[in-house]
Amino acid sequence: MLRQVTLEDIRPIGIGAGILGTGGGGNPYLGGLHLASVIRQRGPQPLVDPLDLDDEALVCVAGNIGAPTVSIEKLPEGTEMLRALRLLEAHIGRAFDAIAIAEIGGANSMQPLICGLLAGIPTVDSDSMGRAFPEIQMSSFLFDSAATAAPLAMVDAADNAAVLPVAIHDRWAEKMARNIAVSMGARAGLVGTIMSGAQLKAAGVHYTMSLAHHLGCRVLEAQRQKSDVPQVVADALDGQALFRGKISDVHRRTTAGFARGSVRIDSFVSDDQLTIEFQNELLIARVNGVVAVTTPDLICIVTEEEGEPVTTELLRYGTRVAVIAVPAPPQLKSETALRVVGPGAFGYDVAFHPLPGGVIGWRPKSG
Amino acid sequence: MLRQVTLEDIRPIGIGAGILGTGGGGNPYLGGLHLASVIRQRGPQPLVDPLDLDDEALVCVAGNIGAPTVSIEKLPEGTEMLRALRLLEAHIGRAFDAIAIAEIGGANSMQPLICGLLAGIPTVDSDSMGRAFPEIQMSSFLFDSAATAAPLAMVDAADNAAVLPVAIHDRWAEKMARNIAVSMGARAGLVGTIMSGAQLKAAGVHYTMSLAHHLGCRVLEAQRQKSDVPQVVADALDGQALFRGKISDVHRRTTAGFARGSVRIDSFVSDDQLTIEFQNELLIARVNGVVAVTTPDLICIVTEEEGEPVTTELLRYGTRVAVIAVPAPPQLKSETALRVVGPGAFGYDVAFHPLPGGVIGWRPKSG
């Protein structure tokens, strides 16, 4: 287990979180630069083992909400996470003890570290997805818990702020927060999903910061050794290298606030074709038209040579890629969870086809 | 001056506020039914003379935000104003002493009375427009004042809630509040624009509830006497009956959150044509192509026979109407104000052509 995040950890966490982002979650590079500047000023950020949390501890999640495409062009002011945290603390009249991770996938792996460092409180090594999803209610902290997405607080780079004290359900909190984020220029810092240590212990996908770090280290090591990096990624996540080939077609359109589309990959060695449908994240994979992987199981695209993550907005003709299929953590596969993150939640008329096996990636690791 | 609002006052206030709404502000009929039910339970609502307010009194405005078309179909739960008020009080940690009127025009004339009655505090006989405008920043309380639109609080019929603690300027508060209102189904109760009694005294358009009531009473009296009701309306507002004729064409489309369009009226007695461009409210009137009236001056359409207000969404071919032009209150005609409510603020490349005279309607009246 990782006990703290230092400058040296940022690169492997970025790679690991990029792969776990399943095409979404935003590119961790800029977030990594931001985190590095804060670590240089304040030192490493401590990580808390979720099982060591006091049951009465007050915890919330911190992350960016908005369009990943915008987050590449519109840089943060830098204190968004801290200002949102202070605003939420003022609203509820209590101070938080630790920051949990909303989504380990992509750029939002860095924000809870930045938030904790600026606020002087630790980050919990546990997230609510073990991957990336686009909407607030898609969180294991919320599926079977008394916790709710609201109250939440949002701020932008220019000091606009909003608090949502209550929402009739988490989907409604998502709708309101999404529209506020649009008003804020499609990028805002958000702090919410207030819970106790006990609630986090029961509902979180634990040790995913450690997992991202471990995955990134194995990728970097395999790159140095010129070994088969995609296979190393699959092994590290207890998944399978499902398909290898060249991207031969990409359809992408922006509708209803999502980057929706599909990508086709032609096999290097046969006439087989893999198609993947995506909505920010990669959601349904079909081999020759037959459903092979379905959300919430993870569909990760990495480059064939280097095993580096390829986010949805970077998919383009000709890239040589490998597709890794990884069984989702058990927290995402309950009946309640599947109503929120299964294929039907994204409008696909496809049943969830769980991949066999796969709990290694989501279990505490030694060392 | 009106000292309180009783059941009998609702009908004349509705007519007067409908005319002052210049086509927008929503239809006061449903708001009037709501107000009547609250008055039956709790008695009349006291009105405070703005000049009698304590300089240190804490005042805010209350009203609906959203699309008037939606407000006809989607009824309120009833306590939106009160819940928004309590939420804002909790946020700032102080209780309000009185409720001011955001806009006297249309349905929002009723909400500050309902809010005050439910909260047990009086309503101030002063508003920020003397008419209706579509956006939050279009308020005399904000033009030259230290008051700001945020903090503000919003709630919907289903108990979703939002607080905007701060916005970098009032236009940004409008953008955020508008998008939250959209998330809430295009109708929400909003309380904000916190100010002191001294600020309200300096910036408000005073006695406009009394004016709406007086205007409505004169219309009802003229209807009974079968006199020339449009001329009575013009006289009561120190305006002029600009044009009389039959609606011969209506263009209406919903773009960027507004009902935009134009209406053409053919004269009863000549070949003259009047065209009016509108964005929720009636904004620019041209006689035979020559600009005759420009926002913020009031363009009021009433039925030729009864002198009843015709709101923008009810404009239709064949209606016999009179168009009354009324000089805006002086508070809307300063240089600062015209940047926010003049023709340019609505995207028209037309200078403000102030109508001559016209302060009678905006002055305190005896009796």
Side-chain angles (χ1 to χ4, degrees):
Chain A
M1 261 211 49
L2 202 60
R3 298 293 177 186
Q4 60 176 12
V5 175
T6 66
L7 281 180
E8 290 65 41
D9 300 320
I10 295 175
R11 170 90 174 114
I13 288 172
I15 293 174
I19 293 171
L20 292 171
T22 66
N27 189 300
Y29 176 68
L30 288 173
L33 290 181
H34 184 187
L35 176 59
S37 77
V38 181
I39 288 180
R40 273 191 211 100
Q41 286 167 30
R42 301 184 177 233
Q45 168 65 354
L47 284 181
V48 175
D49 186 322
L51 302 183
D52 290 345
L53 265 185
D54 192 293
D55 278 354
E56 308 301 318
L58 193 67
V59 188
C60 63
V61 304
N64 275 327
I65 177 171
T69 40
V70 170
S71 71
I72 292 175
E73 301 189 359
K74 187 182 172 194
L75 299 183
E77 175 269 343
T79 63
E80 284 88 343
M81 291 296 141
L82 180 65
R83 288 184 284 125
L85 185 80
R86 295 301 184 224
L87 184 56
L88 190 59
E89 287 180 333
H91 176 71
I92 65 171
R94 288 181 65 190
F96 291 103
D97 300 308
I99 304 293
I101 306 162
E103 60 178 358
I104 190 64
N108 269 336
S109 58
M110 305 293 178
Q111 300 305 327
L113 298 166
I114 294 168
C115 185
L117 260 174
L118 293 177
I121 54 179
T123 303
V124 187
D125 191 0
S126 182
D127 89 310
S128 75
M129 303 178 184
R131 51 170 294 166
F133 280 124
E135 298 188 344
I136 293 174
Q137 76 276 7
M138 297 173 172
S139 161
S140 70
F141 297 142
L142 301 170
F143 294 149
D144 295 295
S145 162
T148 51
L152 62 83
M154 299 171 63
V155 302
D156 70 6
D159 213 20
N160 291 300
V163 175
L164 296 182
V166 62
I168 52 169
H169 51 59
D170 297 324
R171 276 177 205 272
W172 217 275
E174 157 66 26
K175 284 174 64 168
M176 291 195 285
R178 186 70 47 184
N179 275 349
I180 294 169
V182 169
S183 318
M184 289 176 167
R187 173 178 194 149
L190 186 150
V191 170
T193 306
I194 300 171
M195 59 199 147
S196 68
Q199 287 176 314
L200 184 143
K201 285 181 204 177
V205 183
H206 299 328
Y207 310 109
T208 44
M209 186 65 79
S210 295
L211 174 67
H213 181 261
H214 171 75
L215 176 59
C217 288
R218 295 211 30 199
V219 167
L220 289 168
E221 187 188 356
Q223 287 176 353
R224 281 191 298 271
Q225 298 178 346
K226 313 275 184 206
S227 48
D228 181 354
V229 195
Q231 189 59 50
V232 168
V233 170
D235 292 345
L237 294 174
D238 199 20
Q240 49 179 298
L242 181 72
F243 203 86
R244 293 166 188 249
K246 196 186 75 167
I247 294 179
S248 57
D249 203 10
V250 179
H251 288 278
R252 195 191 291 113
R253 60 201 186 284
T254 301
T255 53
F258 287 102
R260 294 171 196 260
S262 61
V263 54
R264 195 178 73 213
I265 303 167
D266 293 345
S267 170
F268 289 136
V269 295
S270 71
D271 288 340
D272 288 348
Q273 289 190 327
L274 180 80
T275 56
I276 304 175
E277 293 182 75
F278 57 82
Q279 295 182 24
N280 291 9
E281 282 75 31
L282 307 165
L283 296 173
I284 310 277
R286 291 183 174 88
V287 179
N288 300 326
V290 178
V291 171
V293 194
T294 47
T295 175
D297 283 344
L298 282 67
I299 302 165
C300 310
I301 301 183
V302 298
T303 56
E304 168 67 10
E305 300 292 319
E306 300 286 317
E308 298 269 352
V310 181
T311 54
T312 311
E313 62 271 22
L314 296 182
L315 292 170
R316 62 190 170 85
Y317 176 82
T319 309
R320 297 160 60 87
V321 297
V323 177
I324 318 294
V326 179
Q331 293 90 332
L332 303 187
K333 295 190 273 199
S334 73
E335 200 176 319
T336 314
L338 287 174
R339 278 200 292 272
V340 185
V341 297
F346 295 91
Y348 297 111
D349 190 17
V350 172
F352 173 52
H353 291 59
L355 291 169
V359 289
I360 292 178
W362 317 107
R363 277 203 180 143
K365 285 186 187 53
S366 56
Chain B
M1 262 211 50
L2 202 61
R3 297 295 178 183
Q4 60 176 14
V5 175
T6 67
L7 281 180
E8 290 65 40
D9 299 321
I10 295 175
R11 170 88 175 117
I13 287 172
I15 293 174
I19 293 171
L20 292 171
T22 66
N27 190 301
Y29 176 69
L30 288 172
L33 291 180
H34 184 188
L35 176 59
S37 77
V38 182
I39 289 181
R40 273 190 210 99
Q41 287 167 29
R42 299 181 178 236
Q45 168 65 355
L47 285 181
V48 175
D49 185 323
L51 302 184
D52 288 346
L53 265 185
D54 192 294
D55 278 353
E56 307 302 317
L58 192 68
V59 188
C60 63
V61 304
N64 275 327
I65 178 171
T69 40
V70 169
S71 71
I72 292 174
E73 301 190 359
K74 186 180 172 196
L75 299 184
E77 176 268 344
T79 63
E80 284 88 343
M81 292 296 141
L82 180 65
R83 287 184 285 124
L85 185 79
R86 295 301 185 224
L87 183 57
L88 191 59
E89 287 180 334
H91 176 71
I92 65 170
R94 287 181 66 190
F96 291 104
D97 300 307
I99 305 293
I101 306 163
E103 60 178 357
I104 190 64
N108 270 336
S109 58
M110 306 293 179
Q111 300 304 328
L113 299 166
I114 293 168
C115 185
L117 260 173
L118 293 176
I121 54 179
T123 303
V124 187
D125 190 359
S126 182
D127 88 312
S128 76
M129 302 178 185
R131 49 170 294 166
F133 280 124
E135 298 188 344
I136 293 174
Q137 76 277 8
M138 297 172 172
S139 161
S140 69
F141 296 144
L142 301 170
F143 294 149
D144 295 295
S145 163
T148 51
L152 62 82
M154 299 170 62
V155 302
D156 71 5
D159 213 20
N160 292 300
V163 175
L164 297 182
V166 62
I168 52 168
H169 51 60
D170 297 325
R171 278 177 204 271
W172 217 275
E174 158 67 26
K175 284 174 65 169
M176 292 195 284
R178 187 70 45 184
N179 275 348
I180 295 170
V182 169
S183 319
M184 289 177 166
R187 174 178 193 149
L190 186 151
V191 171
T193 306
I194 300 172
M195 59 200 147
S196 67
Q199 287 176 315
L200 184 142
K201 285 180 205 178
V205 183
H206 299 328
Y207 309 110
T208 43
M209 186 67 79
S210 294
L211 174 66
H213 181 262
H214 171 75
L215 177 58
C217 289
R218 295 215 23 203
V219 166
L220 290 168
E221 186 189 355
Q223 288 175 352
R224 280 191 299 271
Q225 297 178 346
K226 313 274 185 209
S227 46
D228 181 354
V229 194
Q231 190 58 51
V232 168
V233 170
D235 292 345
L237 293 173
D238 199 21
Q240 49 178 298
L242 180 71
F243 203 87
R244 293 166 187 248
K246 195 185 76 168
I247 294 179
S248 57
D249 204 9
V250 179
H251 288 278
R252 194 192 290 112
R253 59 202 187 284
T254 301
T255 53
F258 287 102
R260 292 172 196 260
S262 62
V263 55
R264 196 179 72 214
I265 304 168
D266 292 344
S267 170
F268 290 137
V269 295
S270 69
D271 289 339
D272 288 347
Q273 289 189 328
L274 180 81
T275 56
I276 304 175
E277 293 182 74
F278 57 81
Q279 294 181 25
N280 292 9
E281 281 75 30
L282 307 165
L283 296 174
I284 310 277
R286 290 182 176 87
V287 179
N288 300 327
V290 178
V291 172
V293 193
T294 47
T295 176
D297 283 342
L298 283 68
I299 303 165
C300 310
I301 301 184
V302 298
T303 56
E304 168 66 12
E305 299 292 319
E306 300 285 318
E308 297 268 351
V310 181
T311 55
T312 311
E313 63 269 23
L314 296 182
L315 292 170
R316 61 190 170 84
Y317 177 83
T319 309
R320 296 160 60 86
V321 298
V323 178
I324 318 294
V326 180
Q331 292 90 332
L332 303 186
K333 294 190 275 198
S334 73
E335 201 177 317
T336 314
L338 286 174
R339 278 200 292 272
V340 186
V341 297
F346 294 91
Y348 297 111
D349 190 15
V350 172
F352 173 52
H353 291 59
L355 292 170
V359 289
I360 291 177
W362 317 107
R363 279 205 179 142
K365 285 188 187 51
S366 58

